[in-house]
Structure formats: structure tokens, C-alpha cells
Amino acid sequence: MELLAAAFSAACAVDHDSSTSESDARDSATGHLPGSESSSTPGNGATPEECPALADSPTTLTEALQMIRPIPTDSWRNLIEQIGLLYQEYRDKSTLQEIETRRQQDAEVTDHGSQASEEAPEEEEEEEEEEQEEPASPPERKALPQICLLSNPHSRFNLWQDLPEIQSSGVLDILQPEEIKLQEAMFELVTSEASYYKSLSLLVSHFMENERLKKILHPSEAHILFSNVLDVMAVSERFLLELERRMEENVVISDVCDIVHHYAANHFSVYITYVSNQTYQERTYKQLLQEKAAFRELISQLELDPKCRGLPLSSFLILPFQRITRLKLLVQNILKRVEERSERECTALDAHKELELVVKACNEGVRKMSRTEQMISIQKKMEFKIKSVPIISHSRWLLKQGELQRMSGPKTSRTLRTKKLFQEIYLFLFNDLLVICRQIPGDKYQVFDSAPRGLLRVEELEDQGQTLANVFILRLLENSDDREATYMLKASSQSEMKRWMTSLAPNRRTKFVSFTSRLLDCPQVQCVHPYVAQQPDELTLELADILNILDKTEDGWVFGERLHDQERGWFPSSMTEEILNPKIRSQNLKECFRVHKMEDPQRSQNKDRRKLGSRNRQ
């Protein structure tokens, strides 16, 4: 958060001239829904006394909205039932549209910049026309994986403003553009939940309750494979019904984050149970495919059914984990569009906080299961030449492992003529411990040194030729013999060297900051191709993720920090594309800071007032 706070302050200064006029115009025109805070609240718009134009208008926004009829129950339920996309398709389409929107915004600023640079005296323009016939073209973009849903008119992927009830109500003539964007954000949360419930229902009815599958699977196998999906689906159904009731109150949605907050705090624990079982679920699924031919053949037949749209069973089994993480992002999207210091902002922040707790518990549940098994496996492979160190601990996990080459002989008397200049060693780096080994026959590792991670120091050597390329020095301030030890290590590539150095001794005084990210305008990328982490120090990327670049290598690896959850790790640069527009980078930082800002005194007072009001009503 230190980087985000610093970058946010700088971004505010950079955008002050342009954002002040835009925010003033937006604040003076912003309306409020029934039940929201009054317009006298700072930052929520102008009062009639402050803005004569508003006072002269025939009707205020609140009065106009009170005359709008609610959506008929049958009409809204028909819309929900007619959603034609499974959640996997819905999610892919939504993220691809998000990427394309950012690209268009990026291109707009590039075009404006090129036009501004072309404005010059006529004499200079004539000279430039002779020298340069064609204007410079913006950098080429990688092609996105296209799917037919983006242009399919029969996909029933509608916007809120496209609904017949909305268009006939006249509300689009009343609401400000920012409020319409907010309505779209809330509408997406509701319709995506409907699509998610549709996919869950298919998982249960088409796969889990298949009679032939029940006969093939042992009850314990079925329990591990499907876990508590019935509980998850029941919660989703009740959640969707609550959202439907809210939508039926008025064509203009008052809020949905209060419902999200209630369910995240009281009912979404079923997601933690389901996701924590993911490690065993994946293993059982793979074993069943390999060992039971009847299971494999039946699943293949079921997946070919048109209902599944060509999607495998595995894509249905992972739905709950994808949904709970996506739900947090949808609330973030709402939070970016609500009025600052308003009731709806407080509700959105509360909902986001509860969802963060659920997502964190889900992640910890998955990691705990996989880490325990991994530590047991590593412990069995180690043979200690030194005093034995207990590897298995509830508070210990693996950060990185791999092979490096150690320079033989003293640093001062090295010779480049010896074939045995470097010897292979193997490192296991845990969050609190480094173990240095030699690999021996039988897939075993002989441990000959160790040190606490906090007592490690690294130093990169200056360029000393090809032989010593990608070499760095590792110092153990206190090793297993209670002495200082120094190792000169060679990595296979520049990226591998930097990744080891980052993992071995991160600079705690400049956390989230490195020499490549100290600029006021931090470089950013967005993910255009999903990536699954292959090593513990890597970061899994989802489509449309935005990341700050903290470091990068010449051979195509980037060390980045994802904005929406501050997770850091390495990933291939080919999975992303750079965001060129400085204003969009600045806006991304400001939105991120707003989503993750600490609870301020004003918000605490608002919460206390709400609690006091509820007690008085009781």
C-alpha cells in the first residue's frame, strides 16, 4: 500500500487541472436516488440554492424518479430466465469487453497526443509534410482471442439501458451519465449471478444427479468431487431472489451492495468450505479419469450434450471459486462509480470488506491443504549432512525451489580454465528458512547448509563477461554452524537470477517499491491472455487484471503488483500489454486507492449514526 499511496498522491497532482473541472461539473449535475444522502453532503452535488439552473428546472431528479413505475415482476423474472449464457461464457465476454474498452481509451489519448503534436506554424507544417507523408502510427496491439459472443445478437447479454422498461420510462433522459454507468454496474452484478446460478444448476442436474454416474462413483468419491455444491447453490438461489426483489422495486436500482454485504457476512462461508476442498477435488478428478474407464467415458458423453456448450466438467467444478473472486471485482466496479462520502459508498465499502475476508479465507483454505502435503513430501526427500532442521511447520511454506550453480573454490582464486568451475546445488527457500542441498540418486537431497531467511543478503555482480553472466553473491550472516558463509551462484538466465534475488532477500524498507517503480507515474499493464503460475514466486493472471510493473528483465519476465488485491509475483510479459495513456494509469491508481482506503473518521461517524438509528427504530 505504500506504493499505491505515493502513486495516488502523485496521480492527483498530475490530473489536478483536468480532473477539477470534470469533477466539479459532475458533482454539480449528479442526482440522488430516493433514500440516498441529501445533496448537502460534501461531494454529492449542488443544492438548488447553490445552482440556480437546478432550482429553475421543472422537476428535481428525486421527484422525477418517484413517478417512475416499478418493473413488473413477471417481466423481470422472464429476463432472468431468458439469460442464454452459462457463467463461463458470460465471464469471458465481460472481461474481453473490459479489455477492449481500455484499449479504446488508450487509443483515444494516443490520437489526441498525435494531433496536438501536429499543431504548429504553417511554415513548419509545410516542411514536415515534405519530410513525413504519413503520421506516426500508435504501437501495434496483440490480437485478443475473439469469441462469437461479442457479436452474437442472440446471446441475450443486455445492458440495463437496453431494457424496454427502461427505455419507455423516460429515466434515461433524467439520469446523469455517471448514474447510468452505476446502474449498469449493479445490473451486471445481478445478471451475472443469474448466469452463475444457471451454470450451478446444470452442474447439479446434468452431472451430480446423473443416475449412471451415481452407480460408478463411490459415495466418498462423489463427496470429494462435488463437495457442498448443493449448499452453494442454495445460497446463490436465495441471494438471487433478494436481488430480484430489489430490482422489482423500481426500474432505477437503489442499491445492491447492502444485500451483498448481508450475504457475505452471514451466508458465504459455504464458499470457504467448497474452495478449501479444491486440492482434493482436483486430485480425485484426475485419478478417476485415469483409473476408471467407465467414469471417463460417461463424462465425455455428458460434456458433448448441447447444454454444456462444449465446456468440460472441470470448468463447472471451479465455478464457486471463480464467482466469489469475480463478485469482489463487481463490487469494486460499483464502488468506483458511487458518489464519494455517500450512503452507497459506505455500503459498497462494507460489502467489499466482507468479500475480501471471504476470498482471503478461501485462498488460505486452498493453500493450507496444498502446503501441508508439499511440506511432508519435501521432508521425506531430505537427508541432513548437518544438524537436522525440522521442515514441517504450520507457519512455514515454500516460496521457491530450484537448481543453481555454485562457483567452486575461493572467490579470489577462481580460474576460468577449469571445467568444474561451477557445481550444481539445489535450494529450497521457505518463508522463514533457506535450505541448501546437493541432489543425490533416488530423488533425494543432501542438506549441507541452512540459514534463517531474515539473515540472507544478496548482491548482483557487475558485468564480467559471458562466463560470469547472471552471477550473484548470497551471504548467510549466520548459517547452520553459527558462522557467516558466502556463496557465488550462477542462474540459467537473467530473469531466473532476478527472481532468486527478489525471493531470497526482499528489501523490507521499500516494500512494493523497486528502482523501476519510483517514478511518480508507475508503468502499468493489463492481462490479455490468462496465465497459470508454474512456480510459487509466479502470479496467476486473469483476463483484464491491471498490474503495476515493479521490475522486469530483458528476457521477457515482469515482476508486478495486481491492483485489485496487491498480490505480487512474476509473469511473462507476453501475457500482458502496456497501458500507454498516463491519464488512465493515474485513474487506475486513484480508483485502487479509493477501493482500498482505510476507514476515515467521516465514514466511522456515518456507520455510528446508522447503528444508532437502527437501535432507535427497534
Side-chain angles (χ1 to χ4, degrees):
M1 288 304 293
E2 290 88 344
L3 170 62
L4 293 176
F8 172 72
S9 300
C12 289
V14 170
D15 278 358
H16 180 269
D17 293 338
S18 60
S19 63
T20 301
S21 59
E22 292 175 2
S23 62
D24 290 345
R26 181 172 62 252
D27 290 342
S28 63
T30 300
H32 302 277
L33 298 176
S36 65
E37 286 190 342
S38 65
S39 58
S40 59
T41 304
N44 281 347
T47 62
E49 292 78 7
E50 296 170 344
C51 181
L54 183 60
D56 294 338
S57 59
T59 57
T60 64
L61 176 61
T62 302
E63 293 172 347
L65 293 182
Q66 288 174 346
M67 297 186 293
I68 296 174
R69 64 183 184 280
I71 294 181
T73 302
D74 294 340
S75 176
W76 171 246
R77 289 180 180 172
N78 287 337
L79 171 67
I80 293 296
E81 293 173 0
Q82 289 175 4
I83 290 179
L85 298 179
L86 294 177
Y87 183 68
Q88 298 94 314
E89 301 169 305
Y90 193 113
R91 185 171 177 267
D92 287 345
K93 179 177 180 180
S94 177
T95 51
L96 289 176
Q97 286 180 328
E98 188 176 346
I99 292 172
E100 196 57 42
T101 299
R102 290 200 196 108
R103 282 180 164 177
Q104 292 172 0
Q105 293 172 339
D106 222 5
E108 286 176 3
V109 171
T110 304
D111 293 340
H112 291 324
S114 61
Q115 291 175 5
S117 63
E118 290 173 0
E119 293 179 359
E122 294 181 359
E123 295 180 359
E124 295 181 4
E125 288 181 355
E126 292 176 357
E127 294 176 0
E128 291 177 359
E129 287 177 0
E130 295 177 358
E131 296 175 359
Q132 185 177 358
E133 296 180 357
E134 297 180 359
S137 58
E140 293 184 0
R141 296 291 196 180
K142 304 185 187 94
L144 273 178
Q146 295 295 322
I147 56 176
C148 61
L149 294 172
L150 289 173
S151 57
N152 182 6
H154 303 294
S155 64
R156 292 178 180 145
F157 187 88
N158 295 317
L159 296 173
W160 172 80
Q161 57 190 305
D162 293 335
L163 298 178
E165 290 81 4
I166 302 301
Q167 294 184 343
S168 63
S169 68
V171 70
L172 296 177
D173 298 326
I174 302 173
L175 295 179
Q176 298 297 324
E178 288 301 314
E179 181 64 37
I180 293 177
K181 291 179 182 179
L182 174 58
Q183 293 294 312
E184 296 290 6
M186 293 190 286
F187 183 71
E188 182 183 0
L189 187 147
V190 180
T191 52
S192 63
E193 185 68 27
S195 178
Y196 167 65
Y197 179 73
K198 177 186 179 73
S199 295
L200 278 183
S201 301
L202 186 58
L203 170 63
V204 172
S205 63
H206 188 61
F207 291 99
M208 180 179 175
E209 295 180 349
N210 182 276
E211 293 299 328
R212 291 175 58 192
L213 188 60
K214 287 181 179 179
K215 294 178 181 179
I216 294 174
L217 293 178
H218 187 274
S220 61
E221 295 173 331
H223 176 69
I224 295 176
L225 193 61
F226 297 105
S227 190
N228 64 326
V229 69
L230 291 177
D231 296 333
V232 174
M233 189 172 73
V235 168
S236 176
E237 182 178 17
R238 296 197 301 270
F239 181 47
L240 182 59
L241 287 173
E242 287 289 334
L243 294 172
E244 287 181 7
R245 293 190 188 101
R246 178 63 54 82
M247 296 286 291
E248 291 165 2
E249 292 175 0
N250 200 310
V251 292
V252 177
I253 311 169
S254 59
D255 198 1
V256 294
C257 288
D258 57 331
I259 301 174
V260 175
H261 174 257
H262 171 74
Y263 272 81
N266 300 288
H267 303 290
F268 282 175
S269 59
V270 295
Y271 282 93
I272 302 173
T273 303
Y274 185 93
V275 174
S276 298
N277 183 56
Q278 183 177 341
T279 301
Y280 299 124
Q281 183 188 64
E282 291 177 351
R283 180 187 308 152
T284 299
Y285 182 57
K286 291 179 180 178
Q287 288 178 346
L288 289 172
L289 289 175
Q290 294 173 356
E291 299 173 4
K292 288 192 175 184
F295 175 82
R296 183 170 61 251
E297 293 172 2
L298 178 57
I299 293 300
S300 298
Q301 293 176 10
L302 294 175
E303 289 175 344
L304 291 174
D305 192 294
K307 297 177 183 177
C308 296
R309 310 284 180 83
L311 297 167
L313 171 59
S314 58
S315 72
F316 289 89
L317 293 175
I318 202 173
L319 282 172
F321 182 67
Q322 290 180 333
R323 180 55 183 170
I324 197 64
T325 54
R326 183 65 181 172
L327 194 57
K328 188 185 81 167
L329 296 180
L330 292 172
V331 171
Q332 284 186 7
N333 199 29
I334 294 173
L335 182 53
K336 294 171 185 177
R337 289 166 169 77
V338 294
E339 316 91 291
E340 291 193 38
R341 299 184 180 277
S342 67
E343 184 77 13
R344 289 193 291 186
E345 183 189 50
C346 293
T347 306
L349 286 169
D350 290 340
H352 183 264
K353 181 179 179 181
E354 288 296 333
L355 285 172
E356 276 198 319
L357 294 175
V358 175
V359 172
K360 182 178 180 181
C362 288
N363 288 329
E364 288 300 319
V366 173
R367 291 169 182 166
K368 183 178 180 181
M369 295 290 185
S370 59
R371 285 172 178 172
T372 300
E373 292 190 346
Q374 187 179 46
M375 298 300 287
I376 293 174
S377 175
I378 292 173
Q379 174 79 66
K380 291 179 179 179
K381 294 179 179 181
M382 287 187 175
E383 296 181 0
F384 285 84
K385 187 178 179 180
I386 58 174
K387 182 180 179 181
S388 178
V389 177
I391 298 298
I392 300 176
S393 170
H394 291 297
S395 60
R396 178 174 295 155
W397 62 86
L398 184 70
L399 291 180
K400 189 172 178 61
Q401 67 176 23
E403 188 177 86
L404 290 171
Q405 291 182 316
R406 174 192 180 189
M407 175 169 285
S408 58
K411 175 184 176 183
T412 56
S413 62
R414 60 177 181 264
T415 171
L416 302 182
R417 299 176 182 176
T418 308
K419 293 183 179 180
K420 296 291 185 180
L421 176 63
F422 293 103
Q423 297 178 348
E424 295 177 351
I425 62 173
Y426 202 93
L427 272 59
F428 289 94
L429 178 65
F430 304 98
N431 62 307
D432 61 346
L433 177 70
L434 172 67
V435 178
I436 306 176
C437 319
R438 297 185 186 91
Q439 195 163 5
I440 57 179
D443 195 23
K444 298 283 187 178
Y445 299 91
Q446 186 181 66
V447 180
F448 64 86
D449 208 351
S450 65
R453 186 176 177 228
L455 298 179
L456 304 178
R457 300 293 183 269
V458 293
E459 176 186 345
E460 183 177 358
L461 288 181
E462 296 181 0
D463 187 14
Q464 300 186 27
Q466 185 62 33
T467 305
L468 295 181
N470 307 322
V471 172
F472 66 98
I473 296 173
L474 170 63
R475 288 192 175 87
L476 282 57
L477 301 184
E478 184 177 312
N479 69 354
S480 56
D481 296 328
D482 298 328
R483 295 182 300 182
E484 182 174 335
T486 301
Y487 295 88
M488 184 173 289
L489 304 175
K490 180 180 176 66
S492 59
S493 64
Q494 184 198 40
S495 60
E496 190 65 14
M497 178 191 69
K498 284 200 170 187
R499 288 170 63 170
W500 270 112
M501 293 179 67
T502 301
S503 299
L504 285 166
N507 191 335
R508 288 172 173 78
R509 289 180 299 176
T510 56
K511 194 174 182 181
F512 298 121
V513 176
S514 69
F515 65 90
T516 61
S517 63
R518 289 175 181 170
L519 298 175
L520 298 180
D521 179 18
C522 185
Q524 289 178 4
V525 294
Q526 71 168 335
C527 173
V528 295
H529 301 285
Y531 178 72
V532 178
Q534 306 297 314
Q535 297 291 335
D537 66 334
E538 294 179 8
L539 187 63
T540 294
L541 301 181
E542 299 286 348
L543 284 174
D545 280 350
I546 302 178
L547 305 103
N548 278 347
I549 298 177
L550 303 181
D551 203 350
K552 56 184 177 181
T553 67
E554 296 176 358
D555 52 354
W557 283 85
V558 175
F559 185 58
E561 176 189 14
R562 187 164 46 214
L563 293 191
H564 77 75
D565 59 5
Q566 284 78 61
E567 289 287 332
R568 296 189 302 163
W570 292 89
F571 52 86
S573 59
S574 58
M575 300 294 106
T576 64
E577 66 181 22
E578 188 175 358
I579 298 176
L580 304 174
N581 180 351
K583 290 188 177 180
I584 293 195
R585 294 196 298 263
S586 173
Q587 183 65 25
N588 290 337
L589 288 171
K590 289 191 288 185
E591 290 178 349
C592 177
F593 187 82
R594 182 183 179 189
V595 167
H596 295 282
K597 69 180 180 181
M598 299 300 291
E599 188 177 57
D600 56 25
Q602 179 68 32
R603 182 166 174 246
S604 298
Q605 293 176 9
N606 292 340
K607 289 179 66 177
D608 293 340
R609 289 170 185 167
R610 293 203 305 273
K611 290 179 180 179
L612 181 60
S614 62
R615 292 195 190 103
N616 292 337
R617 287 193 295 272
Q618 292 174 357

